[in-house]
Amino acid sequence: MYTKALSFWVLFLLSLTSVFAGEETKNTSSNTKTQQTLSHNFNMSTDYRDGQIHLKWTAYDDKRNFKWYKLAFSKENSQPSYPQNDGHFIWDDASQSSYSFWPNTRDFIYINLCVVMLDDTIYCDRGVKVLLTDTDVKKNTSDKVAEEYKKDDTKDNTEDKKAAEERLKKLREDAAKKNQEEKVKTDEKKEVIYKDEVWKTQMETRLSANLQKRADLIIDTFILRLEAQNLSSAAIVSSIDLVQERLGKLASQLRYRQLVGYMIEKLEAYKQEFELGLSEIEAIFNSIR
């Protein structure tokens, strides 16, 4: 009898251990976020001239979920991808279809265009090999002018060297200034994107699931009420703007700030749908019996 009772308690404890272990595994797997890299044909073409690599491609069409373009490059990998290989931020405008840059290598380089989506899914092209035929890869306008001065001086030495040096110095200063201005603009754009992403993440994590559910119900009921009045898309957008404006006034109060930000963001998504006229298009399909 004692042996049977002992066996029963052992089996009971083992079953509890397996249950808790399964729950821990479930929670761990549900919080793991994977990053997918998929294939997409951007019809990218390359042209190397004047020391720069010039790229052209077909702009990505999913503008609402678009995050930014990334340029991946490598000397060894014939099909580089982001973030596995070296990457270079291009821009966050989905309509952009061209880009030029100075390569930092010689002989050849493999280049690939990638798109990063808001859900961190990545689409990359097949990659292309670019032959770098010039001896000096990082040539800019001032370097090319310097070469021309050197050639002319070797031939007949007729140009005033001092004047040529002054002109060359001015060209280099202008090129350096332009490069610095472009770098500042790019860094500022990255900072804005980063702050926006941080704000969205904080908004999603700080609001409880129950509070988000109640906010969603309020907004969905409001949208259904507007649609039931057979208003035009412009009128519905105007009503949404009015609600966003009034919610914005509450944002100054700390206790409403997170909730108001979440609701304004959700209303903005609805507004974009009506601005595109999707409800009017849907009405055409619903009218056919």
Side-chain angles (χ1 to χ4, degrees), residues 80-134:
S81 61
Y82 174 82
Q84 290 78 8
N85 296 101
D86 291 335
H88 180 67
F89 175 81
I90 296 182
W91 211 243
D92 64 343
D93 183 2
S95 62
Q96 183 170 347
S97 60
S98 64
Y99 185 71
S100 300
F101 68 99
W102 306 98
N104 59 354
T105 184
R106 298 177 182 274
D107 303 328
F108 67 90
I109 186 174
Y110 293 105
I111 300 174
N112 203 2
L113 182 67
C114 298
V115 159
V116 182
M117 308 301 288
L118 291 177
D119 62 357
D120 287 332
T121 301
I122 298 174
Y123 294 92
C124 291
D125 210 328
R126 294 173 306 222
V128 63
K129 182 177 181 179
V130 180
L131 296 177
L132 310 176
T133 55
D134 290 355

Side-chain angles (χ1 to χ4, degrees), residues 209-222:
N210 186 47
L211 196 55
Q212 288 188 29
K213 185 176 180 180
R214 293 181 63 183
D216 291 342
L217 179 60
I218 293 172
I219 293 173
D220 291 342
T221 303
F222 169 67

Side-chain angles (χ1 to χ4, degrees), residues 45-56 98-101 130:
S45 62
T46 61
D47 181 23
Y48 179 63
R49 64 181 186 276
D50 299 329
Q52 290 193 76
I53 296 178
H54 304 271
L55 306 177
K56 288 185 179 181
S98 64
Y99 185 71
S100 300
F101 68 99
V130 180

